[in-house]
Amino acid sequence: MEEQLNSVFASYKGSKNELIPVLQDVQEEIGYLPEEAMRAVSRFVKVPESKVFGVATFYARFHLKPRGEHIVRLCCGTACHVRGAMKVADKVKDVLKVEVGETTEDKKFTYEEVACIGACGLAPVMTIDDKTFGKLDPDRTKSIIETFVEEPEGGQV
Ligand code: FES
């Protein structure tokens, strides 16, 4: 990890106002923000650890735990909720054996629930990585996820 951190730090001066971009680059490099990395960032930008941890937990774009190879995001906005998103959510949790915010043991999937993603006409909707799947029902959802288990690109249903 030290090498990865040093390669990120090499492009910065180590000043306070670089905190967020440094955290972003560290996350990009390592995949998430382990505690050890945040401590190193704190020393580098000369910002107290408590502030670094505070920023990392405040912004949804920062992840404090390792994430899966595929990110499954289910919309739980009003339109999706009304059209059965909760049944789809139960199916996703059942198939992946995770709760919201967790990553599967094999590190293949991370499951998140999000607010409206602007595709209400297709409700209920989920995305897996950059692909969008609409008009979901529990069975179809299971089949879609299974295509990602078999094929890294998935999505052919
Ligand atoms: S409420 Fe789900 S896409 Fe808008």
Side-chain angles (χ1 to χ4, degrees):
M1 184 187 304
E2 211 181 310
E3 224 169 85
Q4 289 166 296
L5 289 170
N6 288 338
S7 83
V8 171
F9 295 164
S11 348
Y12 291 92
K13 291 188 197 120
S15 77
K16 265 189 197 146
N17 52 11
E18 292 172 330
L19 173 59
I20 290 183
V22 170
L23 283 175
Q24 255 164 344
D25 284 2
V26 168
Q27 175 166 282
E28 207 161 290
E29 184 69 28
I30 300 176
Y32 72 110
L33 294 174
E35 261 187 59
E36 197 187 326
M38 288 194 282
R39 282 203 189 92
V41 170
S42 151
R43 288 189 298 272
F44 178 65
V45 296
K46 299 171 219 56
V47 169
E49 277 179 21
S50 58
K51 172 99 193 280
V52 176
F53 282 59
V55 166
T57 45
F58 179 77
Y59 290 103
R61 76 182 107 145
F62 293 125
H63 307 291
L64 308 188
K65 290 186 192 159
R67 308 191 87 213
E69 186 185 326
H70 300 294
I71 310 297
V72 179
R73 289 196 179 96
L74 178 70
C75 175
C76 292
T78 309
C80 289
H81 187 85
V82 169
R83 297 203 179 175
M86 289 305 108
K87 282 190 186 137
V88 174
D90 288 343
K91 183 54 92 178
V92 175
K93 293 185 221 170
D94 185 51
V95 171
L96 298 180
K97 300 189 179 27
V98 291
E99 290 301 321
V100 181
E102 291 181 351
T103 297
T104 54
E105 256 178 54
D106 61 5
K107 306 268 181 284
K108 205 142 175 122
F109 297 94
T110 295
Y111 173 54
E112 296 176 347
E113 291 181 354
V114 293
C116 179
I117 56 171
C120 309
L122 297 174
V125 182
M126 76 174 171
T127 59
I128 301 184
D129 306 328
D130 56 356
K131 294 192 170 80
T132 303
F133 303 92
K135 303 207 182 289
L136 297 170
D137 61 42
D139 287 345
R140 189 154 168 265
T141 303
K142 182 171 188 269
S143 314
I144 292 167
I145 292 173
E146 280 167 357
T147 65
F148 282 82
V149 173
E150 288 144 23
E151 292 285 328
E153 288 300 306
Q156 308 307 318
V157 279

